[in-house]
Amino acid sequence: MAETHPYFDPDYILGLLERAGILPEDELDRLKALKGLPRAQGLDVIQWLSGLRLRHGKRQDSTLEEPEILRLVAQDRGWNFSRLDPLKLDMEVVTKGLPAHFCRRRLCVPVEKRGSKLVVAVYDPLQKDLSFDISRACMMDVDFVVAPKRDITRIIDEFFEFRTSIKRAEDLLRPTPSTDISNFEQLVKITGPQAASKEQHINAAVDYLLKYALDERASDIHMEPKRDHARVRLRIDGVLHTIHKVPKVVHEAMATRIKALSRLDVAEKRRPQDGRMKIGWGDKEAEVRISSVPVAFGEKLVLRIQTPEILMKDLEELGMSTKDLASYKAFLERRHGIVLITGPTGSGKSTTLYSTLRYLNDPGINIITVEDPIEMICEDFNQIAVQPAVGITFSSILRNILRQDPDVVMIGEIRDSETARYAVQAALTGHLVFSTLHTNDSVGAITRLKDLGLESYLISSTLVGVVAQRLVRTICPFCKEETLVEAHRLSALGIRSSRESERLWRGRGCSRCRNTGYMGRIGVYEVLSMGSRTLELVHQDSSEESIRKEALKRGMTPLAYDAAQKVLKGITTLEEALMVAGIGV
């Protein structure tokens, strides 16, 4: 009697799950009662189980999914198992060996070439003649790795769709050979609907790129022209990943499409331009800021993607400690004054500001923002975009908005003396003002305001508090594990230990985090509250060191200490915390 296919044998799969102990007892009992259903209907048990969304017994707030079930089957059968990360696959390998219809029908996709062998990811390695058919089509020996069905279908849909769009656009956009004036019978091709087709393929390629970036939680898309091609990279959790190389001629057409969507001048390629657009895909929506600059080999575009989930969080989700959050909320209860958010570019200042404005938002108050550019359109605020071309700058618009009866004013950035003075004026006349500065720590903001020409007495009269912040990557919850760290490495963060080593946490690296060990980011904060003694020191024009000593005496938590606490709590790693402290690892 032939062996039952493991994917269609409920007893076999349930036995694996029971031995692995990854389901609670009540879920196992429920499945045993239902196991006749997939057997009677000839269902794929793995897909059936993953569709039930069963509670996971070893991970809180998690469900049993296809990859984990398939991994158990692969281990038991002696098959190699792999998750497919699109960022690590070569599009040429994936799309050139086998046609899309074959890959879709047999649920397989080439993923790697190893010498004379082709590694193919397949959902069902027991399919009849699959290895023979692939070997004959590719003229190579084949090795199988088992991969989840949804991984394979996603790669097929995205890679083949994108490659087809790029290839067809390249064929239509490829420059024609120069005209030979000595040939009186030069052939002229009638192109007909070529323009429409060309536009269709470019539109599809741009749509794919935007959707892909949203799916991968990317914060930025970089489109960088080189000598012979263009490189496309995504920034995910602060790190850039190369995802595609596209022909130069296709890059130019894609750049033109993106500029047209964001209402930029498509004919202007010599000057930098900034634009924006809003995109939606399924239930996802995002604001996209576009920056275009001329570089050595053409026009480079950077698309900054902002989603409501990133920019507008509850204050409790930002990452502040209980003490720092209480101090920060005390700032927000003030009726007037200046609150500054400081940190380098990409440290999460915009998220803190927008989350704060959402916290303050109420039908009874008038919130006005002045931004360059507007990060995200929010109907609850009255947002003004800086437009120097028509005379709207931070300083010029601040002269006018005080007549708009605001309660809260948010200034995107204090860049010059004039803007700083108008911000102070707004605070002195009974408004709560929020803004950002580029400084290394909270106390440095006071020195920066002095450098902009503000007198010490004005700073001490208006400054409510300063928040300095950084972003650190958080440990992936799916591959989190304990690790031993030499205790002397912790001393740089102010952590003293009598032992030689301490138990901390790290991410081992898995398919969900692309083997980085990290997933997502969280803020690290230093909150400076302006007490009476601190204000006195500012008024007396005291040094940064004196002000910092007083702030620490009053209980201010330094950035490095806050980072250290997140290490001890298993939120981030020692390496990330040392980077915040400015120490190489």
Side-chain angles (χ1 to χ4, degrees):
M1 183 176 175
E3 182 184 9
T4 304
H5 195 298
Y7 293 2
F8 298 96
D9 186 346
D11 293 321
Y12 172 73
I13 302 291
L14 289 177
L16 291 178
L17 293 175
E18 192 166 12
R19 289 194 295 275
I22 59 177
L23 282 180
E25 287 295 328
D26 60 329
E27 293 284 39
L28 270 173
D29 292 341
R30 174 189 165 202
L31 286 180
K32 288 174 182 177
L34 290 173
K35 69 180 181 181
L37 177 63
R39 189 191 303 278
Q41 299 187 5
L43 297 175
D44 182 327
V45 181
I46 295 176
Q47 301 304 315
W48 175 70
L49 285 173
S50 61
L52 292 178
R53 310 296 292 169
L54 299 165
R55 280 192 346 272
H56 201 290
K58 294 185 177 180
R59 291 197 302 264
Q60 286 188 345
D61 303 323
S62 184
T63 57
L64 182 66
E65 297 183 354
E66 175 199 359
E68 194 157 10
I69 305 170
L70 191 59
R71 188 190 299 273
L72 289 174
V73 175
Q75 288 174 348
D76 186 68
R77 308 283 296 199
W79 298 334
N80 291 321
F81 176 83
S82 177
R83 293 298 305 274
L84 303 185
D85 182 357
L87 298 181
K88 291 184 168 62
L89 296 180
D90 185 333
M91 181 169 287
E92 294 294 306
V93 173
V94 172
T95 60
K96 281 202 167 179
L98 297 170
H101 65 85
F102 179 88
C103 293
R104 222 180 290 276
R105 181 165 52 87
R106 305 295 290 268
L107 281 177
C108 64
V109 65
V111 292
E112 187 183 353
K113 286 183 178 178
R114 294 178 186 162
S116 62
K117 287 195 173 184
L118 181 68
V119 180
V120 178
V122 58
Y123 174 62
D124 180 4
L126 299 179
Q127 293 179 69
K128 185 179 180 181
D129 296 332
L130 180 60
S131 178
F132 173 77
D133 291 344
I134 296 175
S135 296
R136 186 175 59 179
C138 300
M139 301 300 292
M140 296 180 73
D141 293 333
V142 176
D143 278 344
F144 284 148
V145 295
V146 178
K149 183 176 182 179
R150 67 181 184 186
D151 285 11
I152 294 172
T153 54
R154 180 185 177 190
I155 296 298
I156 293 171
D157 290 342
E158 294 183 351
F159 274 51
F160 281 97
E161 176 186 343
F162 187 65
R163 180 182 179 275
T164 300
S165 298
I166 293 294
K167 179 62 178 169
R168 290 180 179 171
E170 181 186 15
D171 291 342
L172 293 169
L173 290 164
R174 187 181 291 117
T176 56
S178 57
T179 304
D180 180 1
I181 60 173
S182 65
N183 184 354
F184 289 98
E185 294 184 331
Q186 179 71 30
L187 177 64
V188 178
K189 290 188 177 180
I190 307 297
T191 57
Q194 188 180 66
S197 299
K198 174 175 63 179
E199 187 175 306
Q200 173 189 347
H201 300 313
I202 291 299
N203 293 356
V206 171
D207 289 349
Y208 161 82
L209 188 58
L210 293 170
K211 173 185 176 294
Y212 187 64
L214 281 173
D215 289 342
E216 296 296 323
R217 303 180 296 106
S219 61
D220 301 86
I221 304 172
H222 289 242
M223 299 176 63
E224 305 165 326
K226 304 301 178 185
R227 189 183 303 278
D228 303 314
H229 64 274
R231 180 173 62 179
V232 180
R233 298 194 287 174
L234 298 184
R235 187 179 294 279
I236 303 171
D237 293 336
V239 179
L240 281 169
H241 301 264
T242 299
I243 59 166
H244 292 305
K245 289 181 180 179
V246 300
K248 191 81 170 286
V249 67
V250 176
H251 163 78
E252 293 168 359
M254 290 177 69
T256 299
R257 169 67 175 166
I258 292 169
K259 288 167 68 177
L261 289 173
S262 52
R263 298 180 182 177
L264 298 181
D265 184 352
V266 297
E268 179 57 76
K269 301 180 186 293
R270 299 170 299 169
R271 294 189 180 92
Q273 296 187 74
D274 294 298
R276 67 183 307 112
M277 62 180 169
K278 190 167 187 174
I279 59 174
W281 192 272
D283 59 349
K284 297 180 181 179
E285 204 170 82
E287 298 270 353
V288 183
R289 283 170 35 196
I290 293 91
S291 171
S292 165
V293 296
V295 293
F297 297 109
E299 201 171 13
K300 179 186 174 183
L301 268 64
V302 174
L303 287 69
R304 167 66 58 88
I305 302 171
Q306 301 280 25
T307 64
E309 294 77 18
I310 293 174
L311 268 187
M312 294 189 182
K313 298 184 176 182
D314 292 336
L315 293 183
E316 289 75 14
E317 296 175 352
L318 294 175
M320 291 185 190
S321 66
T322 303
K323 180 168 73 72
D324 284 347
L325 183 60
S327 298
Y328 186 61
K329 284 186 174 180
F331 300 168
L332 309 185
E333 292 173 3
R334 300 285 288 268
R335 300 303 297 270
H336 57 83
I338 298 176
V339 177
L340 294 175
I341 313 295
T342 75
T345 301
S347 59
K349 299 188 297 295
S350 294
T351 296
T352 301
L353 280 176
Y354 270 78
S355 300
T356 300
L357 294 181
R358 190 178 78 162
Y359 174 82
L360 291 172
N361 183 51
D362 184 271
I365 67 171
N366 178 19
I367 299 176
I368 297 180
T369 74
V370 187
E371 305 172 65
D372 181 23
I374 295 174
E375 297 277 355
M376 174 167 285
I377 303 296
C378 180
E379 293 183 5
D380 294 328
F381 317 143
N382 299 291
Q383 297 170 286
I384 302 169
V386 168
Q387 301 179 71
V390 293
I392 300 178
T393 62
F394 281 117
S395 55
S396 67
I397 199 64
L398 282 172
R399 288 198 299 266
N400 298 290
I401 64 172
L402 297 185
R403 303 190 192 106
Q404 290 285 315
D405 187 30
D407 297 290
V408 176
V409 177
M410 191 271 271
I411 305 167
E413 183 182 348
I414 295 177
R415 298 176 178 172
D416 52 47
S417 176
E418 195 175 4
T419 303
R421 290 195 174 277
Y422 279 117
V424 166
Q425 182 184 341
L428 289 172
T429 52
H431 305 89
L432 186 57
V433 180
F434 294 88
S435 190
T436 68
L437 281 175
H438 291 284
T439 63
N440 291 326
D441 57 25
S442 56
V443 178
I446 298 170
T447 303
R448 176 66 178 142
L449 291 175
K450 291 177 182 178
D451 291 342
L452 289 172
L454 288 184
E455 292 80 3
S456 297
Y457 73 89
L458 286 176
I459 299 173
S460 62
S461 300
T462 56
L463 191 59
V464 171
V466 183
V467 177
Q469 68 179 84
R470 300 290 189 277
L471 289 177
V472 293
R473 292 182 290 173
T474 52
I475 298 172
C476 173
F478 299 101
C479 60
K480 188 175 180 179
E481 65 180 14
E482 283 191 337
T483 182
L484 287 175
V485 174
E486 296 171 338
H488 71 84
R489 297 185 65 199
L490 301 174
S491 61
L493 297 173
I495 302 174
R496 301 285 180 260
S497 175
S498 58
R499 291 180 289 219
E500 290 187 5
S501 60
E502 289 287 342
R503 288 190 177 275
L504 298 178
W505 295 88
R506 67 167 187 175
R508 181 179 64 255
C510 65
S511 58
R512 297 192 184 216
C513 63
R514 299 180 190 84
N515 293 310
T516 63
Y518 299 98
M519 182 178 288
R521 292 189 290 178
I522 196 170
V524 173
Y525 295 89
E526 178 179 283
V527 180
L528 170 62
S529 180
M530 303 301 291
S532 57
R533 176 57 183 158
T534 310
L535 290 172
E536 185 180 335
L537 290 173
V538 174
H539 188 78
Q540 294 171 354
D541 215 10
S542 300
S543 66
E544 270 192 39
E545 184 180 356
S546 301
I547 296 171
R548 173 166 280 277
K549 282 183 178 178
E550 174 61 24
L552 292 172
K553 182 179 174 183
R554 294 184 65 248
M556 182 183 77
T557 302
L559 276 168
Y561 182 83
D562 190 41
Q565 294 306 302
K566 287 179 169 63
V567 171
L568 295 176
K569 292 176 181 177
I571 296 171
T572 190
T573 62
L574 177 62
E575 289 74 20
E576 288 288 296
L578 291 173
M579 288 176 63
V580 168
I583 301 168
V585 293

